[in-house]
Amino acid sequence: MPIVDEPVHPAWLPPGAWRPITGRRVRVTGEGLLVRTVLAELRAAGATLVETDGDVEFGLGGDPALDGEGFEIVRRDGRTLIRAAAPHGLLHSLFHLLREAPAGRYRPAVDRRMVDHWDNVDVHPVMGQVERGYAGGSLFWRAGEPRRDLPRVAAYARLLAACGVNAVALNNVNVHATETRLLTDRLAEVAELAAEFRRYGIRVHLSVSFAAPVHHGLPGADPLDDRVVAWWAEATRAVYEMIPDFGGYLVKADSEGQPGPFTYGRSHADGANLLAGALAPHGGVVHWRAFVYNHRQDWRDRSVDRARAAYDHFTPLDGAFRDNVVVQVKHGPMDFQAREPVAPLIAAMPATRLAVEVQATQEYTGQQRHLCYLAPMWSSLLRGTDGPAIAGVAAEMVAVANTGDDPFWTGHPLAQANLYAFGRLAWDHTLDPVTILDEWTGLTFPGASPALRATLHAVMDGSWQTYERYTAPLGVGFMVRPGHHYGPDVDGYEYTPWGTYHHADRDGVGVDRTVATGTGFTGQYPQPWASIYESAADCPDELALFFHHLPYGHVLRDGRTVIQHIYDTHFAGAAETAEMRRRWQTISDEVPTELFRRVAGLLNEQVRSAEEWRDQINAYFLRKSGVPDEHGRPIY
Ligand code: BDP
C-alpha cells in the first residue's frame, strides 16, 4: 500500500517522519484488519519485518485495563516492546512511536474523538460545497456526485488516525434534500467511504434530518408516532446491514431552520430517544446538538439572550436521554467566537453523556487566511483557566473539520496544526500546546532546524491572542461581516434577529448578562464562577464585555480603561501580524517552496485584514466615545 503517494503537499507523516522505524527489525503478532494496516505502514516505512526477536515488537495480550485503544510501551535492553489489549491500541501505538513517545502506559482521555464535516453533496447556492469550508471542495462529493477519490480518502483517514481521531461525520449538520438520501438509496456511497476509514480504526457517522421520514413519504415525523418509529428502525437496520460498524447519527434539530421535535409538540429528549432507539440494537449512538436558540429574536428586547438558550432548553432534560444519546454542546454559549466563556450547560448535565464541539474550521478565527493556532484556546477551556473545566466532564470531543481537497489539506498550510492539535488534546487533555506544535513540526517537517522550529513558535504560539487583539474587543464577539463572517463590520449584526449584539452607545459597550441588572446568564454557572462573572471587578478582562455593559472609562483589572484597552490591543494586534510576516520571510530555505509562498501570500492578506480591523474598530469607538487615544496614535 502506498503510504505517501501524495497527490498533495506534506501534512504530518511524510516519509522522513518514519525515522524511528526505518531500517529497524520489527515483529508484529496478531491478526485482523488493523494489524494488516500496521504491517503495511511498517513495510512502507522501510522496517524489516521479522518473525522473532525484533528491535521493536508489537503484540496483543496487554493488560485489559488498557481497554480498546490503550497500549503500553516498555523499553528493555535496547528493545521496544508494545502491548495492547486490542488491535486499535496497536495502531495508535505505532503513531506514538513515531513521536518517540517515552515508555509508559497510554490511554485516551475520552472514548470518542470525532471530526464533523460540514460537506454538502450538492453545491449549496449560498454555502457552496462545504459549509464554512476554507480548504477547497469536499473530499467526498463534488456537485452532487461521489468523488470516489479513495486513495485520497485513505490518506485522510491515515492523517486523522495519526493524531488520534476515531470517528468522522461525513456530511453537513444542515441536511438538505439530496443529503437525506445518503441514509437510503445513496447509502452505497457512505459504505465505500466507511471501508477506507475502517482500515484506520475510524467509524463513520452521518448527519440526518429529523424530517427524513417525511422526505421518504410519511405524513409527519412525530417521534411518538409508531409509523415514524418503524421507519427509523427499518432505515437503521438497512444501514447496519451494509455498514456493520456504522457509528450513528448526528442531528441538528429545531435550530436555524432545521426541522425537529418542536413541530410535534415534543421535546428534544423525545426526538433524540427516537433515533437512539433505532440505533441501540446495533450499538450506534446519536449525537444530538444543543445548538438550539431563537435566531428570530427581537433585537430591541434586551432581556432575551442567545447565550442562555442551550442551558434553558437542555438542563430540564438532564437524565431523560437514553444511554446511547450524546448531547453535543458547542464549547461556548454563543457560536465559536475567538473568545467566549465555557458554555454553562457543560457543567450542568451530570446525568447526560456530553460531547464538546470546537471549530477547527476557522469560521470566526480568520477563515484559514489568517494564521490562528487554536490549541492554546482549546487547552485553556479544557483546563478551566477562566471558567469551569471541560476536562473530566466531557465524555467525548468533536471538532468541525478544517480539511478539504486543497493540496495542503487545510487552505492555510499551517492550519494543519489545528487539526493535529485537536486530535492530540482530545487524546490527552493535559498536553501543552507548545509541545504539540513541536510534535507537529517534527512530523511535518522531518529534520526541522532549530531556526525553523523557533520561527514556527514565534508565528504560531501567540497567534490566537494576536487574532483576538485586532478583532472584537474584550469578549464581546462578532462584529464580522454578515453572511460570510470574514472581516470587520462593527454593526453588521447589531440590528438583526440573530442575537449577537455589542450594545455600544456613546457611554459604553458590552452586554449586561448579570443576574442583578442584566439577562441573568451569569446565574447559569456554578460557584465560584457565577460570582466571578457577576462582578465587573472580578470578571477576567478578556470576558469583560461578554458579561458586562461597561462605561468607556471603566478601569479593567489590568489598570487600563476599556477605551484605552481597545486602542492598545488593536494597534498591538495589527503590529504583531506584520512581525509574523517578517519572521516568516527568514525561513524561505527551510520549507518547500510552494508551502513557503502560500503562507507568505496569506500573511500579506492577514496584515491587510488586521489593519482593516484595527482601523474600523478604533475609529468606531473613537467616534462613539469621543475619548482620544492617550498615546496620540492616528485613528481615522
Ligand atoms: C454557525 C455557522 C453555520 C452552522 C452553525 C451550526 O455559521 O453555518 O450551520 O454554526 O453550528 O456558526 O449549526
Side-chain angles (χ1 to χ4, degrees), residues 307-483:
R308 294 188 56 112
Y311 182 104
D312 286 343
H313 281 295
F314 282 87
T315 52
L317 301 175
D318 190 30
F321 294 99
R322 293 183 61 138
D323 288 349
N324 60 331
V325 173
V326 187
V327 172
Q328 185 163 315
V329 191
K330 289 193 181 187
H331 68 77
M334 294 296 282
D335 197 1
F336 298 136
Q337 300 303 290
R339 176 76 70 167
E340 289 186 46
V342 74
L345 181 64
I346 293 168
M349 298 286 278
T352 305
R353 187 173 171 85
L354 292 185
V356 173
E357 181 180 318
V358 300
Q359 200 181 37
T361 196
Q362 293 172 236
E363 177 180 1
Y364 292 104
T365 49
Q367 303 199 347
Q368 279 138 261
R369 291 188 243 178
H370 296 218
L371 179 50
C372 184
Y373 178 49
L374 292 165
M377 181 214 282
W378 299 335
S379 165
S380 79
L381 290 164
L382 282 161
R383 289 168 196 240
T385 318
D386 275 330
I390 290 174
V393 180
E396 306 188 359
M397 292 298 293
V398 177
V400 183
N402 63 352
T403 38
D405 71 357
D406 170 66
F408 293 99
W409 295 100
T410 50
H412 200 306
L414 303 183
Q416 289 173 11
N418 285 334
L419 181 63
Y420 182 81
F422 165 74
R424 297 292 289 130
L425 282 170
W427 177 283
D428 182 352
H429 301 338
T430 67
L431 289 175
D432 172 19
V434 175
T435 312
I436 295 175
L437 187 63
D438 268 331
E439 274 184 12
W440 176 78
T441 303
L443 293 173
T444 306
F445 305 103
S449 70
L452 175 57
R453 285 181 182 274
T455 301
L456 288 173
H457 281 301
V459 300
M460 292 175 77
D461 285 343
S463 56
W464 161 53
Q465 279 164 314
T466 292
Y467 184 83
E468 179 183 22
R469 285 186 191 107
Y470 61 78
T471 54
L474 294 159
V476 77
F478 288 89
M479 299 188 171
V480 289
R481 298 211 175 107

Side-chain angles (χ1 to χ4, degrees), residues 118 131-132 174 252 256 289 291 330 335 363-364:
W118 286 356
E131 181 151 342
R132 312 304 181 188
N174 296 317
K252 172 177 178 178
E256 298 184 336
R289 292 177 89 226
F291 184 60
K330 289 193 181 187
D335 197 1
E363 177 180 1
Y364 292 104

Side-chain angles (χ1 to χ4, degrees), residues 574-587:
E576 284 158 23
T577 63
E579 176 59 11
M580 286 157 76
R581 177 168 66 179
R582 191 194 66 74
R583 286 297 295 250
W584 183 253
Q585 289 299 326
T586 65
I587 46 103

Side-chain angles (χ1 to χ4, degrees), residues 7-23:
V8 292
H9 295 280
W12 50 97
L13 300 181
W18 290 82
R19 199 172 30 87
I21 301 281
T22 309

